[in-house]
Amino acid sequence: MDDPQRKTPAVRRLRDMLERCRRAVVFTGAGISTESGIPDFRSPGGIWTRMAPIQFEDFLASEEMRRESWRRTFGLRDAFAEARPNIGHHAVAELVRRGTVQAVITQNIDGLHQQSGVPAEKVIELHGNNGHAACLQCGERHELDVIRQAFLGRDELPECRLCGGIVKLATISFGQAMPVGPVLNAERETRECDLFIVIGSSLVVFPAAGLPVLAKRNGAGLVIVNREQTPLHDEADLAVEDEIGPFMAQVVGLN
Ligand code: NAD
């Protein structure tokens, strides 16, 4: 039974903000997917405590770096491929279904918002998607199963079948330009909303982390749900240092 008296003050406050808002946007980072078994970057045990990220210019300049990048892709991919949306994703999907949340802007590349039922046109992927690859020259889409067979089976680096260009996972690396369309959409949604809810981001990766600042400057309420402090905690109208799944489930009434 969903008894409002048993909710914590933070749960009640966010429910209240969601009820009063005209248009909400959710902005997610790797933290929403850790409960699905995908490690984030910066937490203890996170991906970067084990390997340094490959910069875009190194990927372009060195065949060995491209090989290392594909080795990582096919090593990590099994963890990604097996991951399923968790209760945090389902809570966000429910807010979209109710019409409270108009868009989900995500830094994640795992596709779990779409899998949890958020329509693809409502998910704005700022850092791409790791479910396929693309030619850096002409943009042609390439399927990972084909690349995996050639790379793991015959040690072949993928090359574009149309133009011979370098093929890369369709995610945005450090040093690589952000995708123009998604960035413009994200900025528009951020300007139009009156409630901006950050879920599971350390808010240190720019330009993505500039969006909550833009929202706040535009007069929107700012909520941050993250187990550790972020550089924007002091500016938030509500900052909740808690586990995402259990907290968001209470907010939405999923448990
Ligand atoms: P980050 O690793 O910098 O920060 C994640 C934050 O989430 C941390 O502050 C951590 O304390 C918090 N967190 C982790 N699990 C949590 C939980 N269960 N409850 C509450 N808080 C939790 O991630 P970021 O801000 O998204 O930025 C790093 C970059 O990592 C992004 O650009 C993204 O593209 C990429 N990334 C994506 C995935 C993915 O798609 N799932 C995974 C790893 C990294």
Side-chain angles (χ1 to χ4, degrees), residues 97-122:
R97 197 192 60 76
R98 289 178 192 170
T100 314
V101 167
Q102 304 301 319
V104 179
I105 304 171
T106 187
Q107 300 174 88
N108 294 346
I109 55 176
D110 54 33
L112 292 181
H113 286 300
Q114 293 92 323
Q115 269 192 50
S116 71
V118 181
E121 66 274 14
K122 294 211 176 249

PDB file of all heavy atoms in Angstrom, residues 97-122:
ATOM      1  N   ARG A  97       5.523   7.977 -19.196  1.00  0.00           N
ATOM      2  CA  ARG A  97       4.200   7.449 -19.582  1.00  0.00           C
ATOM      3  C   ARG A  97       3.089   8.345 -19.046  1.00  0.00           C
ATOM      4  O   ARG A  97       2.089   8.602 -19.713  1.00  0.00           O
ATOM      5  CB  ARG A  97       4.053   6.015 -19.038  1.00  0.00           C
ATOM      6  CG  ARG A  97       2.948   5.212 -19.695  1.00  0.00           C
ATOM      7  CD  ARG A  97       2.648   3.932 -18.926  1.00  0.00           C
ATOM      8  NE  ARG A  97       2.214   4.195 -17.545  1.00  0.00           N
ATOM      9  CZ  ARG A  97       1.019   4.625 -17.182  1.00  0.00           C
ATOM     10  NH1 ARG A  97       0.108   4.872 -18.099  1.00  0.00           N
ATOM     11  NH2 ARG A  97       0.732   4.835 -15.906  1.00  0.00           N
ATOM     12  N   ARG A  98       3.267   8.857 -17.821  1.00  0.00           N
ATOM     13  CA  ARG A  98       2.244   9.719 -17.223  1.00  0.00           C
ATOM     14  C   ARG A  98       2.198  11.109 -17.876  1.00  0.00           C
ATOM     15  O   ARG A  98       1.318  11.894 -17.582  1.00  0.00           O
ATOM     16  CB  ARG A  98       2.537   9.912 -15.728  1.00  0.00           C
ATOM     17  CG  ARG A  98       2.292   8.671 -14.902  1.00  0.00           C
ATOM     18  CD  ARG A  98       2.648   8.943 -13.448  1.00  0.00           C
ATOM     19  NE  ARG A  98       2.695   7.702 -12.692  1.00  0.00           N
ATOM     20  CZ  ARG A  98       3.157   7.598 -11.462  1.00  0.00           C
ATOM     21  NH1 ARG A  98       3.615   8.674 -10.834  1.00  0.00           N
ATOM     22  NH2 ARG A  98       3.177   6.436 -10.854  1.00  0.00           N
ATOM     23  N   GLY A  99       3.217  11.419 -18.663  1.00  0.00           N
ATOM     24  CA  GLY A  99       3.240  12.733 -19.317  1.00  0.00           C
ATOM     25  C   GLY A  99       3.899  13.801 -18.463  1.00  0.00           C
ATOM     26  O   GLY A  99       3.941  14.974 -18.843  1.00  0.00           O
ATOM     27  N   THR A 100       4.452  13.426 -17.303  1.00  0.00           N
ATOM     28  CA  THR A 100       5.124  14.403 -16.437  1.00  0.00           C
ATOM     29  C   THR A 100       6.493  14.765 -17.009  1.00  0.00           C
ATOM     30  O   THR A 100       6.900  15.920 -16.997  1.00  0.00           O
ATOM     31  CB  THR A 100       5.334  13.807 -15.023  1.00  0.00           C
ATOM     32  OG1 THR A 100       4.122  13.194 -14.605  1.00  0.00           O
ATOM     33  CG2 THR A 100       5.754  14.869 -14.033  1.00  0.00           C
ATOM     34  N   VAL A 101       7.203  13.754 -17.483  1.00  0.00           N
ATOM     35  CA  VAL A 101       8.548  13.965 -18.044  1.00  0.00           C
ATOM     36  C   VAL A 101       8.446  13.949 -19.565  1.00  0.00           C
ATOM     37  O   VAL A 101       7.915  13.002 -20.162  1.00  0.00           O
ATOM     38  CB  VAL A 101       9.515  12.865 -17.540  1.00  0.00           C
ATOM     39  CG1 VAL A 101      10.817  12.860 -18.332  1.00  0.00           C
ATOM     40  CG2 VAL A 101       9.797  13.069 -16.055  1.00  0.00           C
ATOM     41  N   GLN A 102       8.939  15.027 -20.167  1.00  0.00           N
ATOM     42  CA  GLN A 102       8.808  15.181 -21.628  1.00  0.00           C
ATOM     43  C   GLN A 102       9.984  14.588 -22.382  1.00  0.00           C
ATOM     44  O   GLN A 102       9.859  14.251 -23.550  1.00  0.00           O
ATOM     45  CB  GLN A 102       8.718  16.678 -21.991  1.00  0.00           C
ATOM     46  CG  GLN A 102       7.613  17.402 -21.286  1.00  0.00           C
ATOM     47  CD  GLN A 102       6.259  16.785 -21.608  1.00  0.00           C
ATOM     48  OE1 GLN A 102       6.005  16.434 -22.750  1.00  0.00           O
ATOM     49  NE2 GLN A 102       5.415  16.648 -20.598  1.00  0.00           N
ATOM     50  N   ALA A 103      11.149  14.544 -21.745  1.00  0.00           N
ATOM     51  CA  ALA A 103      12.329  14.034 -22.454  1.00  0.00           C
ATOM     52  C   ALA A 103      13.313  13.451 -21.455  1.00  0.00           C
ATOM     53  O   ALA A 103      13.386  13.901 -20.300  1.00  0.00           O
ATOM     54  CB  ALA A 103      13.004  15.162 -23.231  1.00  0.00           C
ATOM     55  N   VAL A 104      14.040  12.432 -21.886  1.00  0.00           N
ATOM     56  CA  VAL A 104      15.114  11.850 -21.079  1.00  0.00           C
ATOM     57  C   VAL A 104      16.421  12.121 -21.823  1.00  0.00           C
ATOM     58  O   VAL A 104      16.655  11.574 -22.901  1.00  0.00           O
ATOM     59  CB  VAL A 104      14.915  10.334 -20.880  1.00  0.00           C
ATOM     60  CG1 VAL A 104      16.059   9.752 -20.059  1.00  0.00           C
ATOM     61  CG2 VAL A 104      13.573  10.043 -20.221  1.00  0.00           C
ATOM     62  N   ILE A 105      17.226  13.000 -21.255  1.00  0.00           N
ATOM     63  CA  ILE A 105      18.534  13.299 -21.847  1.00  0.00           C
ATOM     64  C   ILE A 105      19.525  12.386 -21.140  1.00  0.00           C
ATOM     65  O   ILE A 105      19.591  12.385 -19.906  1.00  0.00           O
ATOM     66  CB  ILE A 105      18.918  14.777 -21.604  1.00  0.00           C
ATOM     67  CG1 ILE A 105      17.833  15.715 -22.145  1.00  0.00           C
ATOM     68  CG2 ILE A 105      20.280  15.085 -22.240  1.00  0.00           C
ATOM     69  CD1 ILE A 105      18.034  17.184 -21.752  1.00  0.00           C
ATOM     70  N   THR A 106      20.270  11.600 -21.894  1.00  0.00           N
ATOM     71  CA  THR A 106      21.178  10.673 -21.213  1.00  0.00           C
ATOM     72  C   THR A 106      22.600  10.761 -21.739  1.00  0.00           C
ATOM     73  O   THR A 106      22.825  10.996 -22.923  1.00  0.00           O
ATOM     74  CB  THR A 106      20.659   9.211 -21.291  1.00  0.00           C
ATOM     75  OG1 THR A 106      21.487   8.388 -20.469  1.00  0.00           O
ATOM     76  CG2 THR A 106      20.664   8.674 -22.718  1.00  0.00           C
ATOM     77  N   GLN A 107      23.539  10.595 -20.804  1.00  0.00           N
ATOM     78  CA  GLN A 107      24.949  10.464 -21.171  1.00  0.00           C
ATOM     79  C   GLN A 107      25.262   8.995 -21.429  1.00  0.00           C
ATOM     80  O   GLN A 107      26.365   8.665 -21.831  1.00  0.00           O
ATOM     81  CB  GLN A 107      25.844  10.962 -20.035  1.00  0.00           C
ATOM     82  CG  GLN A 107      25.621  12.409 -19.661  1.00  0.00           C
ATOM     83  CD  GLN A 107      26.431  12.770 -18.429  1.00  0.00           C
ATOM     84  OE1 GLN A 107      27.581  13.165 -18.526  1.00  0.00           O
ATOM     85  NE2 GLN A 107      25.838  12.638 -17.267  1.00  0.00           N
ATOM     86  N   ASN A 108      24.299   8.122 -21.119  1.00  0.00           N
ATOM     87  CA  ASN A 108      24.574   6.687 -21.219  1.00  0.00           C
ATOM     88  C   ASN A 108      24.491   6.199 -22.653  1.00  0.00           C
ATOM     89  O   ASN A 108      23.789   6.765 -23.486  1.00  0.00           O
ATOM     90  CB  ASN A 108      23.605   5.905 -20.332  1.00  0.00           C
ATOM     91  CG  ASN A 108      23.840   6.200 -18.870  1.00  0.00           C
ATOM     92  OD1 ASN A 108      24.869   6.770 -18.524  1.00  0.00           O
ATOM     93  ND2 ASN A 108      22.905   5.821 -18.028  1.00  0.00           N
ATOM     94  N   ILE A 109      25.213   5.121 -22.883  1.00  0.00           N
ATOM     95  CA  ILE A 109      25.301   4.570 -24.234  1.00  0.00           C
ATOM     96  C   ILE A 109      24.664   3.185 -24.277  1.00  0.00           C
ATOM     97  O   ILE A 109      24.778   2.487 -25.273  1.00  0.00           O
ATOM     98  CB  ILE A 109      26.791   4.477 -24.632  1.00  0.00           C
ATOM     99  CG1 ILE A 109      27.570   3.664 -23.582  1.00  0.00           C
ATOM    100  CG2 ILE A 109      27.398   5.868 -24.778  1.00  0.00           C
ATOM    101  CD1 ILE A 109      29.033   3.431 -23.925  1.00  0.00           C
ATOM    102  N   ASP A 110      23.988   2.791 -23.172  1.00  0.00           N
ATOM    103  CA  ASP A 110      23.560   1.401 -23.043  1.00  0.00           C
ATOM    104  C   ASP A 110      22.162   1.091 -23.579  1.00  0.00           C
ATOM    105  O   ASP A 110      21.752  -0.070 -23.613  1.00  0.00           O
ATOM    106  CB  ASP A 110      23.658   0.963 -21.565  1.00  0.00           C
ATOM    107  CG  ASP A 110      22.892   1.902 -20.627  1.00  0.00           C
ATOM    108  OD1 ASP A 110      21.851   2.461 -21.022  1.00  0.00           O
ATOM    109  OD2 ASP A 110      23.340   2.062 -19.468  1.00  0.00           O
ATOM    110  N   GLY A 111      21.414   2.105 -23.974  1.00  0.00           N
ATOM    111  CA  GLY A 111      20.072   1.865 -24.549  1.00  0.00           C
ATOM    112  C   GLY A 111      19.030   1.390 -23.544  1.00  0.00           C
ATOM    113  O   GLY A 111      17.940   0.961 -23.939  1.00  0.00           O
ATOM    114  N   LEU A 112      19.317   1.450 -22.232  1.00  0.00           N
ATOM    115  CA  LEU A 112      18.384   0.869 -21.258  1.00  0.00           C
ATOM    116  C   LEU A 112      17.116   1.715 -21.060  1.00  0.00           C
ATOM    117  O   LEU A 112      16.089   1.182 -20.659  1.00  0.00           O
ATOM    118  CB  LEU A 112      19.088   0.615 -19.909  1.00  0.00           C
ATOM    119  CG  LEU A 112      20.146  -0.496 -19.950  1.00  0.00           C
ATOM    120  CD1 LEU A 112      20.775  -0.696 -18.574  1.00  0.00           C
ATOM    121  CD2 LEU A 112      19.544  -1.826 -20.426  1.00  0.00           C
ATOM    122  N   HIS A 113      17.176   3.017 -21.334  1.00  0.00           N
ATOM    123  CA  HIS A 113      15.932   3.803 -21.239  1.00  0.00           C
ATOM    124  C   HIS A 113      14.929   3.322 -22.295  1.00  0.00           C
ATOM    125  O   HIS A 113      13.754   3.136 -21.995  1.00  0.00           O
ATOM    126  CB  HIS A 113      16.216   5.295 -21.424  1.00  0.00           C
ATOM    127  CG  HIS A 113      16.864   5.917 -20.239  1.00  0.00           C
ATOM    128  ND1 HIS A 113      16.283   5.940 -18.983  1.00  0.00           N
ATOM    129  CD2 HIS A 113      18.055   6.552 -20.105  1.00  0.00           C
ATOM    130  CE1 HIS A 113      17.085   6.555 -18.137  1.00  0.00           C
ATOM    131  NE2 HIS A 113      18.167   6.927 -18.783  1.00  0.00           N
ATOM    132  N   GLN A 114      15.411   3.120 -23.512  1.00  0.00           N
ATOM    133  CA  GLN A 114      14.515   2.644 -24.569  1.00  0.00           C
ATOM    134  C   GLN A 114      13.984   1.258 -24.188  1.00  0.00           C
ATOM    135  O   GLN A 114      12.797   0.985 -24.345  1.00  0.00           O
ATOM    136  CB  GLN A 114      15.260   2.562 -25.915  1.00  0.00           C
ATOM    137  CG  GLN A 114      15.694   3.915 -26.485  1.00  0.00           C
ATOM    138  CD  GLN A 114      17.103   4.319 -26.051  1.00  0.00           C
ATOM    139  OE1 GLN A 114      17.517   4.062 -24.917  1.00  0.00           O
ATOM    140  NE2 GLN A 114      17.840   4.956 -26.940  1.00  0.00           N
ATOM    141  N   GLN A 115      14.880   0.394 -23.665  1.00  0.00           N
ATOM    142  CA  GLN A 115      14.435  -0.959 -23.283  1.00  0.00           C
ATOM    143  C   GLN A 115      13.393  -0.930 -22.178  1.00  0.00           C
ATOM    144  O   GLN A 115      12.586  -1.829 -22.052  1.00  0.00           O
ATOM    145  CB  GLN A 115      15.623  -1.776 -22.784  1.00  0.00           C
ATOM    146  CG  GLN A 115      16.343  -2.563 -23.853  1.00  0.00           C
ATOM    147  CD  GLN A 115      17.295  -3.562 -23.205  1.00  0.00           C
ATOM    148  OE1 GLN A 115      16.934  -4.319 -22.307  1.00  0.00           O
ATOM    149  NE2 GLN A 115      18.527  -3.546 -23.659  1.00  0.00           N
ATOM    150  N   SER A 116      13.433   0.118 -21.333  1.00  0.00           N
ATOM    151  CA  SER A 116      12.478   0.165 -20.215  1.00  0.00           C
ATOM    152  C   SER A 116      11.133   0.732 -20.663  1.00  0.00           C
ATOM    153  O   SER A 116      10.220   0.857 -19.856  1.00  0.00           O
ATOM    154  CB  SER A 116      13.042   1.014 -19.065  1.00  0.00           C
ATOM    155  OG  SER A 116      13.038   2.380 -19.444  1.00  0.00           O
ATOM    156  N   GLY A 117      11.031   1.111 -21.933  1.00  0.00           N
ATOM    157  CA  GLY A 117       9.722   1.537 -22.449  1.00  0.00           C
ATOM    158  C   GLY A 117       9.603   3.017 -22.770  1.00  0.00           C
ATOM    159  O   GLY A 117       8.535   3.476 -23.161  1.00  0.00           O
ATOM    160  N   VAL A 118      10.691   3.777 -22.616  1.00  0.00           N
ATOM    161  CA  VAL A 118      10.629   5.186 -23.030  1.00  0.00           C
ATOM    162  C   VAL A 118      10.703   5.207 -24.567  1.00  0.00           C
ATOM    163  O   VAL A 118      11.634   4.625 -25.141  1.00  0.00           O
ATOM    164  CB  VAL A 118      11.806   6.017 -22.447  1.00  0.00           C
ATOM    165  CG1 VAL A 118      11.691   7.473 -22.885  1.00  0.00           C
ATOM    166  CG2 VAL A 118      11.841   5.913 -20.928  1.00  0.00           C
ATOM    167  N   PRO A 119       9.725   5.846 -25.242  1.00  0.00           N
ATOM    168  CA  PRO A 119       9.783   5.870 -26.706  1.00  0.00           C
ATOM    169  C   PRO A 119      11.106   6.478 -27.189  1.00  0.00           C
ATOM    170  O   PRO A 119      11.580   7.462 -26.602  1.00  0.00           O
ATOM    171  CB  PRO A 119       8.601   6.774 -27.097  1.00  0.00           C
ATOM    172  CG  PRO A 119       7.698   6.787 -25.903  1.00  0.00           C
ATOM    173  CD  PRO A 119       8.568   6.587 -24.706  1.00  0.00           C
ATOM    174  N   ALA A 120      11.691   5.889 -28.247  1.00  0.00           N
ATOM    175  CA  ALA A 120      13.013   6.316 -28.712  1.00  0.00           C
ATOM    176  C   ALA A 120      13.058   7.821 -28.998  1.00  0.00           C
ATOM    177  O   ALA A 120      14.069   8.472 -28.745  1.00  0.00           O
ATOM    178  CB  ALA A 120      13.399   5.531 -29.963  1.00  0.00           C
ATOM    179  N   GLU A 121      11.954   8.377 -29.471  1.00  0.00           N
ATOM    180  CA  GLU A 121      11.978   9.815 -29.819  1.00  0.00           C
ATOM    181  C   GLU A 121      12.025  10.701 -28.580  1.00  0.00           C
ATOM    182  O   GLU A 121      12.272  11.896 -28.672  1.00  0.00           O
ATOM    183  CB  GLU A 121      10.803  10.191 -30.734  1.00  0.00           C
ATOM    184  CG  GLU A 121       9.414  10.079 -30.139  1.00  0.00           C
ATOM    185  CD  GLU A 121       8.812   8.673 -30.260  1.00  0.00           C
ATOM    186  OE1 GLU A 121       9.553   7.719 -30.570  1.00  0.00           O
ATOM    187  OE2 GLU A 121       7.600   8.535 -30.017  1.00  0.00           O
ATOM    188  N   LYS A 122      11.803  10.122 -27.400  1.00  0.00           N
ATOM    189  CA  LYS A 122      11.890  10.909 -26.165  1.00  0.00           C
ATOM    190  C   LYS A 122      13.232  10.746 -25.456  1.00  0.00           C
ATOM    191  O   LYS A 122      13.467  11.316 -24.393  1.00  0.00           O
ATOM    192  CB  LYS A 122      10.751  10.526 -25.212  1.00  0.00           C
ATOM    193  CG  LYS A 122       9.385  10.895 -25.757  1.00  0.00           C
ATOM    194  CD  LYS A 122       8.420  11.236 -24.668  1.00  0.00           C
ATOM    195  CE  LYS A 122       7.100  11.701 -25.237  1.00  0.00           C
ATOM    196  NZ  LYS A 122       6.837  13.098 -25.024  1.00  0.00           N
TER     197      LYS A 122
END
